Amino acid sequence: MTAALTKARDKFHKELVGKETLSLSPDGVASNADKSQKTSVSIASSIADELSALVIEKKLDGQRAGKQFEEAVEGFLAEAFPLFNSLRPGDWSVENVGGSRAEYQISKYEPYAHLADLANAIKENRNLASVLGNSYEISPDILVLRKPESDEVINRDHDLVDAESGRHAVIRMVNQERPIVHAIVSCKWTLRSDRAQNARSEALNIIRNRKGRTPHIAVVTGEPSPSRLASLALGTGDIDTVYHFALPELIKAVDGTQNDEAISMLGTLVAGKRLRDISDLPLDLAI
């Protein structure tokens, strides 16, 4: 029997292939490859072949491919994360808010509701903008949210809470009704140096601007180049972990290049617990 998580991973890859997010050009260059780099082309083409990508005349433009990648990751998490309710019970939802940045989505949820007031204050006083810069801006792609629980649910097995205590905890619906941000997932179909730095900057803003526990901060990418993956994954203090859309296939492809530097770098990322497969993400979110 094939496990449900494996089925969800296969479905995720089939969606990327079916919608031509992952594809091959007539001359064998994969859609996530940097065609100016021989190693990138070799690795990406091997992964695309392994996942049965189709040959098409013209790959999707970057914006459309990125959006479709976000949607595929959202679909995967919405299907896979609830499978682990035994590990992480709760009333969960997964939302792709990448296309709604103008509405400042993050301020609708705990622990970031106060940022709406800050944004309004900055609109009224532009001097604040010159002082704060973009240090308060958080524009996530995907949010994993947990709804607060009623006292009936909390007290289901034992009388745990009443009107005398726990009156400020955000998990109690009697205290507040906004969903709580459990995780923020950034999606990068490919990585260039600026995209890596943007992900790091946003992760730091997530940490600095919270009023409560820090959500999980993850990045999912389809980047084939170990050196570019390292630009984002190496180091700690901002992003929890980087997840590759096809890590076993990536390892096989990199080994096939016989490029010692690339093999060593990828080994460092994996052994150092900085790079994992997308199928690890739902389990990590259950922590």
Side-chain angles (χ1 to χ4, degrees), residues 103-146:
E103 300 176 23
Y104 210 57
Q105 293 284 322
I106 196 73
S107 64
K108 296 180 180 179
Y109 312 112
E110 291 291 338
Y112 298 101
H114 62 285
L115 293 182
D117 294 334
L118 179 59
N120 289 333
I122 288 173
K123 286 181 181 179
E124 295 176 3
N125 184 350
R126 301 310 300 177
N127 289 330
L128 285 176
S130 65
V131 173
L132 296 173
N134 64 351
S135 63
Y136 69 96
E137 292 182 358
I138 304 171
S139 302
D141 294 327
I142 296 172
L143 298 175
V144 180
L145 305 167
R146 180 176 184 176

Side-chain angles (χ1 to χ4, degrees), residues 36-54:
S36 67
Q37 291 190 357
K38 184 178 179 180
T39 301
S40 175
V41 171
S42 174
I43 295 170
S45 297
S46 176
I47 295 172
D49 286 336
E50 194 77 17
L51 298 179
S52 303
L54 304 175

Side-chain angles (χ1 to χ4, degrees), residues 10 18 57 60 70 77 81 87-88 104 124-125 133 135 142-143 150 165 177 186 190-191 203 206 220 230 248 257 276:
D10 290 343
E57 287 297 321
L60 304 181
E70 283 181 24
L77 287 176
F81 184 49
L87 297 178
R88 201 67 149 102
Y104 210 57
E124 295 176 3
N125 184 350
S135 63
I142 296 172
L143 298 175
S150 67
S165 56
E177 297 184 353
S186 178
T190 59
L191 287 174
I206 290 166
V220 181
T257 65
R276 297 178 183 173

Side-chain angles (χ1 to χ4, degrees), residues 151-184:
D151 282 4
E152 287 76 15
V153 171
I154 297 171
N155 291 330
R156 181 177 54 202
D157 298 324
H158 303 281
D159 289 335
L160 299 174
V161 296
D162 56 23
E164 302 301 320
S165 56
R167 294 312 308 269
H168 301 285
V170 296
I171 193 64
R172 290 183 71 183
M173 192 176 292
V174 70
N175 295 337
Q176 69 89 31
E177 297 184 353
R178 287 182 292 269
I180 303 158
V181 179
H182 178 67
I184 296 177

Side-chain angles (χ1 to χ4, degrees), residues 12 15-16 67-77 278:
F12 167 70
E15 179 177 347
L16 292 176
K67 182 60 178 174
Q68 290 186 179
F69 186 58
E70 283 181 24
E71 292 169 350
V73 172
E74 175 197 16
F76 170 77
L77 287 176
I278 189 170

